[in-house]
Amino acid sequence: MTMRERYLTFKEKMSELWFVIKRNAAAKLGLGILITIIGIAVFAPWIAPYNPNVKSGAIFLPPSHKHLLGTDDVGHDIFSQLIYGTRISLMIGVLAASTAIIIGTLIGLSSGYFGGAVDEALMRLTDVWLSIPMMLFAIFMVAVLSRTATRMLYSVIIAIALTSWPGTARLVRSAVLSIKEYPYIESARAVGASSWRIMINHILPNVVPIIIIEVITRTGLAMLTEASLSFLGLGDPTAISWGMIIHYAMIRNAIVNGFWWWFLPPGIMISITVLGVLLLGLGLEEYFNPRLREG
Amino acid sequence: MKRVLARRLVTSIITFFVTISIVFIFAHLSGDPLAELEDDPRVTPDVIAAMKAAFGLNKPLYMQYLDFIWSVLHGNLGYSLQYLRPVEDIIKERFPYTLALLVPSITLSNYLAYKAGVETGWRRGSKFDLSFMTVSMFMRSVPYFWLAIIFLYVFSVKLGWTPIFGAITPGISFANTWAWLKDYLWHYILPFTVLVFRETLAMLLYVRNTLIEVLREDYITTAKAKGLDEAYVKYRYAARNALLPMITILGMRYAFLIDGAVLTETVFAYPGMGRTVFEAIVNRDFWLLQGAVVLLSASVIIVNFIIDIIYLYLDPRVRYR
């Protein structure tokens, strides 16, 4: 981040951002996908023809005009489940990713800023954390947490957050290590600013670009993890996400019976959403890192 | 050399202890491991009290922690409430199935990714490269289990080429080992293909980017300037140096592959560790789940240690530092 950007107003920054996205076909596609998905989530009650949690027809119906994607084993409309599932999947993805990034940023900031023994201890912990099978631990955590948690939704969010912070911590740490060397940090220390103040007011703002890209990319990855956990039966039965729809399809033998309308659409929705998020992430990386723009 | 090796060994041991401590902490965060039984009206309080005494659940927490580490180190992983058998016996039966999936698929996918990654990186920006990158990008967005479901739906349900579930056709007695092997491979091929397909595409991107980095090095320019044959530069100078970073992330890839195996085995009802994890979740068989997590994490640590040793031999810079 150059010094010049500190003097740009918010509006100017946004127009520069838009300029970069506009020229990048992939980022434009990603943004388009994301806006559509968010639109579906917001307007779910108007798009979905039925209440997804109420019996609206006979059981195991194939697709028809009345039920676009048929019904499930208890007569719930699968199309409506899919539309409402957008809310759940998106919400869990965003919340889990944000929590993971808060943890990762705090650890990365302290590690990079304080250095020494703090750095050593935190980075060792990060290394250990990175070398264990993440999803397996997320599975274990949800299974354990959901025995006491009031809603499984929170267990899922906490488990994803607790297993996905190390990547962010490392990224933030290496950014802090280079920012720390700038003269203005030394000046701040010279006028007697506290460590906390320097970290929050002087270092954190310069790490923001990295954090924004991380939030976006991690949301996609968190949605994939959530889908996997739900698929394995660790989702919240009161909040049907896309992964949960596939879980129910599998345990009700939809796959071996060839009920493609039950397990194909949720997978397509997950894939498209995650693709959109990743494409947008790539585009933003280009915005924040102008060196990539040539290539 | 010996000092580096000793340090790696110590790190591995520490990692193992941290891992099982995390398992212990989380297991006890939820309180009582027998909570499910206590809710069951068929189980009397006497039985619960007897079980608590038998499993040492009435001891203080630090004693339970020491007990836990002691039994893990002795290969004692608890008792499956679903199968009414020791967890380690169940794992002994199932782990070979998973290992037979993991080792060949990580080997083949690394080989394929290496070959394809070198070609795409060498021809960076070509249509060939672009199509591989697009597929790779898209596959990153597709959930693992859903890919497995598509394979199962297309090849087993629609085309009927491969069986729908299991590792062996149930209820058959085989005339000889060949007949058994044929049946085994017939069940094996689809989960194996899913893992190889997905892992190859994930690794491909990494090999390609490493190769592009290597191509920027001065010695590549020198080799080209010397008038060396293009194929010679590609394989002897560039590809060789892209190989090393591949080995570095092999341990991480193995951990990812375990996550993939859990999902793939669940879809194909393949009786390995992954399916065991799924069954333990569905049946709330806490000790079985915990045992599977401990064992699979231990296998990751062992694999990482082996890779570290291999790395020491391959990269002299690490050896002499």
Side-chain angles (χ1 to χ4, degrees):
Chain A
M1 178 166 261
T2 59
M3 290 303 280
R4 182 183 61 86
E5 282 176 55
R6 302 203 123 249
Y7 298 101
L8 286 180
T9 62
F10 181 73
K11 207 175 154 193
E12 279 167 336
K13 273 187 186 171
M14 283 297 124
S15 73
E16 195 187 335
L17 182 63
W18 175 237
F19 181 72
V20 171
I21 290 179
K22 212 165 55 181
R23 291 190 325 157
N24 184 330
K28 224 166 32 179
L29 180 66
L31 190 66
I33 291 173
L34 218 58
I35 289 173
T36 315
I37 296 292
I38 292 172
I40 293 175
V42 171
F43 298 109
W46 290 275
I47 301 170
Y50 302 97
N51 181 336
N53 303 314
V54 169
K55 188 172 158 69
S56 58
I59 62 169
F60 291 122
L61 282 178
S64 64
H65 284 298
K66 264 185 85 184
H67 298 281
L68 284 176
L69 295 172
T71 56
D72 69 2
D73 56 308
V74 283
H76 296 171
D77 182 52
I78 294 172
F79 179 72
S80 305
Q81 278 184 344
L82 197 69
I83 298 299
Y84 274 95
T86 314
R87 286 185 166 183
I88 312 290
S89 295
L90 215 55
M91 184 189 73
I92 297 180
V94 171
L95 286 180
S98 317
T99 316
I101 280 151
I102 292 171
I103 301 173
T105 305
L106 284 178
I107 290 183
L109 264 181
S110 344
S111 185
Y113 182 77
F114 292 113
V118 177
D119 183 32
E120 182 74 11
L122 288 176
M123 282 302 112
R124 274 290 149 82
L125 183 70
T126 312
D127 285 344
V128 171
W129 219 261
L130 275 173
S131 67
I132 52 184
M134 278 310 141
M135 211 196 66
L136 196 66
F137 264 74
I139 290 171
F140 184 67
M141 285 180 197
V142 181
V144 164
L145 289 174
S146 58
R147 293 167 64 174
T148 44
T150 40
R151 284 191 72 188
M152 247 162 130
L153 200 66
Y154 305 125
S155 317
V156 172
I157 292 169
I158 293 169
I160 297 175
L162 282 182
T163 49
S164 54
W165 58 265
T168 312
R170 274 195 172 174
L171 265 177
V172 171
R173 174 182 172 267
S174 60
V176 170
L177 282 181
S178 66
I179 294 167
K180 204 168 75 166
E181 301 305 321
Y182 286 144
Y184 74 91
I185 300 295
E186 211 181 327
S187 323
R189 204 170 296 141
V191 293
S194 68
S195 294
W196 181 249
R197 192 182 165 82
I198 292 176
M199 271 207 279
I200 298 300
N201 285 358
H202 300 295
I203 294 181
L204 192 62
N206 290 303
V207 190
V208 163
I210 296 173
I211 296 176
I212 292 176
I213 296 172
E214 276 290 292
V215 168
I216 290 175
T217 321
R218 293 267 160 213
T219 299
L221 299 178
M223 286 180 73
L224 283 179
T225 313
E226 183 277 327
S228 301
L229 293 174
S230 298
F231 167 72
L232 290 171
L234 289 168
D236 190 329
T238 60
I240 309 286
S241 69
W242 291 330
M244 290 279 281
I245 301 177
I246 304 178
H247 170 74
Y248 285 125
M250 185 187 65
I251 61 171
R252 304 285 178 247
N253 295 323
I255 300 158
V256 285
N257 286 322
F259 299 161
W260 54 266
W261 52 88
W262 198 349
F263 60 84
L264 278 187
I268 294 171
M269 292 301 277
I270 300 169
S271 307
I272 289 179
T273 311
V274 176
L275 185 70
V277 169
L278 292 181
L279 288 175
L280 185 64
L282 277 181
L284 285 183
E285 219 173 314
E286 197 176 290
Y287 164 71
F288 289 123
N289 189 354
R291 261 179 306 170
L292 290 172
R293 279 183 214 174
E294 314 144 16
Chain B
M1 176 78 184
K2 265 187 185 153
R3 265 187 51 205
V4 180
L5 210 62
R7 207 167 55 216
R8 293 284 152 86
L9 189 64
V10 170
T11 315
S12 299
I13 293 170
I14 293 174
T15 310
F16 179 71
F17 276 102
V18 172
T19 311
I20 57 174
S21 302
I22 296 168
V23 169
F24 181 84
I25 292 167
F26 270 93
H28 285 261
L29 269 184
S30 65
D32 195 349
L34 294 175
E36 277 91 26
L37 280 183
E38 278 163 23
D39 293 340
D40 193 332
R42 292 169 300 179
V43 183
T44 61
D46 300 346
V47 176
I48 300 281
M51 281 181 89
K52 274 193 174 165
F55 292 129
L57 293 172
N58 43 12
K59 290 184 191 170
L61 204 57
Y62 73 93
M63 280 301 288
Q64 288 191 38
Y65 177 64
L66 294 178
D67 276 355
F68 176 65
I69 287 180
W70 186 252
S71 33
V72 166
L73 290 180
H74 285 79
N76 185 352
L77 295 172
Y79 198 74
S80 162
L81 294 176
Q82 167 200 359
Y83 292 101
L84 301 176
R85 288 169 61 199
V87 168
E88 57 270 22
D89 289 0
I90 299 167
I91 288 177
K92 250 180 237 155
E93 272 171 31
R94 304 204 173 177
F95 193 49
Y97 282 111
T98 300
L99 216 53
L101 264 181
L102 292 181
V103 176
S105 61
I106 203 165
T107 313
L108 183 62
S109 65
N110 269 326
Y111 176 75
L112 292 176
Y114 174 65
K115 283 285 172 199
V118 167
E119 292 307 321
T120 47
W122 187 259
R123 289 152 72 181
R124 181 191 183 186
S126 66
K127 271 207 177 112
F128 174 75
D129 176 38
L130 227 61
S131 54
F132 259 101
M133 285 310 102
T134 313
V135 174
S136 185
M137 182 78 193
F138 190 72
M139 289 315 295
R140 270 181 74 192
S141 324
V142 175
Y144 223 121
F145 63 91
W146 194 66
L147 185 74
I149 286 176
I150 303 290
F151 270 71
L152 178 71
Y153 178 63
V154 173
F155 294 106
S156 299
V157 177
K158 280 279 142 189
L159 297 170
W161 291 353
T162 45
I164 283 167
F165 70 92
I168 293 289
T169 312
I172 285 190
S173 54
F174 295 102
N176 52 40
T177 320
W178 279 115
W180 175 84
L181 191 66
K182 222 179 112 189
D183 191 60
Y184 175 77
L185 287 178
W186 187 46
H187 286 79
Y188 179 81
I189 186 76
L190 211 51
F192 176 69
T193 310
V194 171
L195 289 175
V196 170
F197 182 68
R198 180 64 191 245
E199 291 309 311
T200 303
L201 285 173
M203 192 74 175
L204 172 73
L205 198 72
Y206 186 77
V207 180
R208 172 189 176 268
N209 292 345
T210 317
L211 193 89
I212 289 171
E213 288 288 308
V214 172
L215 289 179
R216 292 208 185 102
E217 297 282 349
D218 289 340
Y219 58 79
I220 298 290
T221 319
T222 312
K224 279 184 183 164
K226 273 201 299 194
L228 288 180
D229 187 43
E230 187 173 295
Y232 195 80
V233 177
K234 178 157 67 168
Y235 293 112
R236 287 279 153 163
Y237 284 69
R240 282 289 174 94
N241 282 299
L243 205 57
L244 213 53
M246 263 182 89
I247 295 169
T248 318
I249 65 159
L250 205 58
M252 220 146 85
R253 289 238 61 88
Y254 176 78
F256 276 126
L257 196 60
I258 284 185
D259 291 346
V262 170
L263 296 165
T264 309
E265 282 180 10
T266 301
V267 171
F268 292 102
Y270 203 78
M273 291 304 292
R275 181 73 185 187
T276 307
V277 167
F278 172 70
E279 282 175 8
I281 295 168
V282 173
N283 298 312
R284 300 186 146 266
D285 192 345
F286 177 73
W287 271 306
L288 186 57
L289 178 61
Q290 177 179 289
V293 170
V294 168
L295 182 98
L296 289 173
S297 313
S299 84
V300 173
I301 294 167
I302 293 169
V303 165
N304 271 305
F305 181 65
I306 295 171
I307 290 166
D308 276 347
I309 297 175
I310 296 174
Y311 205 85
L312 278 177
Y313 278 100
L314 291 179
D315 192 349
R317 283 171 299 183
V318 183
R319 224 179 310 159
Y320 295 116
R321 201 160 51 197

